[in-house]
Structure formats: C-alpha cells, structure tokens
Amino acid sequence: MFKKEKNIECQVIYNPRSFNSKEKSKVNKKQFLAAGRFNHQKGFDLLIESFNTFSKTNDDWKLVIVGEGKEKIKLLEKINKYKLEDRIIVKSFTNNIKDYFLNSSVLLLPSRWEGMPMIVLEALEMGVPIISYDITAVKPLITNGKEGIIVKKFDKDAFTVAMEKMVSSFNLIEDMSKECRIRSREFDVENIRDKWIELIDELMGVKQYYE
C-alpha cells in the first residue's frame, strides 16, 4: 500500500509463527478444523452454510470450531437449524490449539478479512492444508493447489466444492501436508529475526552515510 499510494519503497517482514512442533498431524482423521472469534469478520456463518451443503453428500467428515465471541448463540442456532449438532462441534477458546490440529486434516478459513492470520501459520507448522477465501492476507502464505485451496470470495458453493475435492483423496491431503511443512520454515522465528537484523544494519549504514 505504501508503494501504491505514496510511491515509497519498503520491505515486508512477516510475523513468526507462534510455536514450533516436532509432532505433526498425520492428516488421517476425517475432521475439519476452524478457529477464531465468533464475529462477522471470521465468517463462521458462511462456513456453516458451506458445511451444510457438504453434509448432504458426505456423512463421514466432522467440523470442529474452536473459539468464543458475541455471535456464538447465533452460530449455535444456525447449526441447530440445519440439524448438524452431531457434525459440527463447537469448542471453547483454548491456549493449546496444537491438540486440535493433531486430530484434524484440513483447516477451514472462511474469514471475510484478516491481518496476519496466525492460525494459518500454525496450520503450516502442523502440516495441515488450508481451504480459504481469496483474501489479501492469505496470498503470501498459501499457493493455490500447493499448501491448500483458495476459492473466490465469498462463494459458499465454491468453498463446498473445495471441501469435497479435499476429502476425495487422502493422497492429495498428504501431498499438501508436506508442502505446508516446507513453507512453514519461512516463518521460523530465527528467519524473521535475521531479516530484522539485516534491515536494521541497512538502516544504520544509511544513517552513518548521511552523518
């Protein structure tokens, strides 16, 4: 935005992921995972609609949604409306999302917008492929068809199709899982630290030049 609006040259340094894990998901469980605050931004209302359509042709996979927020009651009402209480399990906020990743094979990100979605970095680290809408925040993190599937925002039917494509082949999920673990290395705290050091050294050199 600085380059586009102000013609100012700048660099982008991403946030590091929140944890490292020797354990990775085996991506062999028939479970989707979604997590975040229950508000309009996170798009869980869209997700429930997509999962409802998905459930009409699939009776194996479940969806676990982890979080809290002001729209929780509305989301529970929507789940009950579609009689999906046995297929969509809502869990309270946790500081240990890793355990949920270990028991899930695909992360669903239905957000209408994001800043830097830490949940995506965590999914990459745990080797869990992602399905997301084509929002700006995920473009540097997920390559469509590589670490996951990106669909047109906010096309609920397209999101359903992506879910159906994922569950049709565990080989596809396993291949994407490998790519996730490779991509995750870019967000090691050591790598991010080195980029900051490089930038600071560069700025200090410029300062000394002008002094």
Side-chain angles (χ1 to χ4, degrees):
M1 290 179 68
F2 275 116
K3 289 180 180 180
K4 180 180 178 181
E5 302 295 336
K6 300 295 184 181
N7 197 29
I8 298 174
E9 286 300 316
C10 56
Q11 297 185 42
V12 175
I13 300 178
Y14 297 111
N15 293 330
R17 61 175 183 269
S18 61
F19 61 76
N20 298 332
S21 176
K22 292 182 179 179
E23 293 181 287
K24 311 294 181 184
S25 172
K26 295 180 180 178
V27 293
N28 59 0
K29 303 284 182 65
K30 295 182 177 181
Q31 179 170 294
F32 295 111
L33 175 65
R37 290 203 60 78
F38 296 154
N39 57 25
H40 179 73
Q41 172 197 347
K42 297 299 184 180
F44 292 124
D45 55 324
L46 304 176
L47 178 57
I48 293 170
E49 296 285 350
S50 295
F51 188 88
N52 179 51
T53 305
F54 170 84
S55 69
K56 297 183 186 306
T57 57
N58 181 287
D59 56 10
D60 292 330
W61 281 66
K62 293 186 177 183
L63 167 61
V64 173
I65 305 177
V66 181
E68 293 289 345
K70 61 183 180 181
E71 292 190 359
K72 183 174 183 177
I73 292 176
K74 288 184 180 180
L75 295 177
L76 291 173
E77 289 174 347
K78 187 180 285 287
I79 291 169
N80 292 336
K81 172 186 173 183
Y82 291 129
K83 296 179 170 55
L84 290 170
E85 301 95 326
D86 295 332
R87 301 288 303 278
I88 302 179
I89 298 92
V90 177
K91 296 289 188 177
S92 299
F93 170 81
T94 178
N95 286 316
N96 191 17
I97 194 68
K98 175 180 170 180
D99 286 346
Y100 286 102
F101 274 117
L102 289 172
N103 289 291
S104 302
S105 297
V106 180
L107 175 74
L108 304 181
L109 187 77
S111 299
R112 291 178 167 91
W113 71 89
E114 286 283 353
M116 179 71 172
M118 189 59 64
I119 192 72
V120 171
L121 300 186
E122 293 165 347
L124 294 175
E125 171 65 5
M126 297 303 296
V128 175
I130 303 107
I131 298 175
S132 172
Y133 286 124
D134 186 19
I135 57 176
T136 303
V138 303
K139 291 180 179 179
L141 308 179
I142 308 168
T143 301
N144 186 34
K146 197 171 182 181
E147 299 90 8
I149 300 176
I150 307 298
V151 302
K152 180 182 177 182
K153 59 182 182 186
F154 298 100
D155 189 330
K156 294 177 288 186
D157 292 333
F159 205 96
T160 300
V161 170
M163 293 162 67
E164 291 170 345
K165 181 178 180 179
M166 276 284 198
V167 306
S168 68
S169 171
F170 270 107
N171 288 334
L172 174 64
I173 294 176
E174 287 174 350
D175 289 344
M176 287 187 173
S177 176
K178 293 175 184 176
E179 295 293 340
C180 286
R181 296 196 295 271
I182 293 171
R183 189 62 180 275
S184 178
R185 296 169 192 162
E186 296 180 30
F187 305 98
D188 284 340
V189 67
E190 291 83 4
N191 289 338
I192 304 301
R193 176 203 62 197
D194 290 346
K195 290 181 179 180
W196 276 106
I197 291 172
E198 181 181 341
L199 177 61
I200 292 168
D201 286 346
E202 180 181 331
L203 292 173
M204 291 300 293
V206 171
K207 179 182 178 184
Q208 291 172 4
Y209 174 82
Y210 282 105
E211 288 177 345

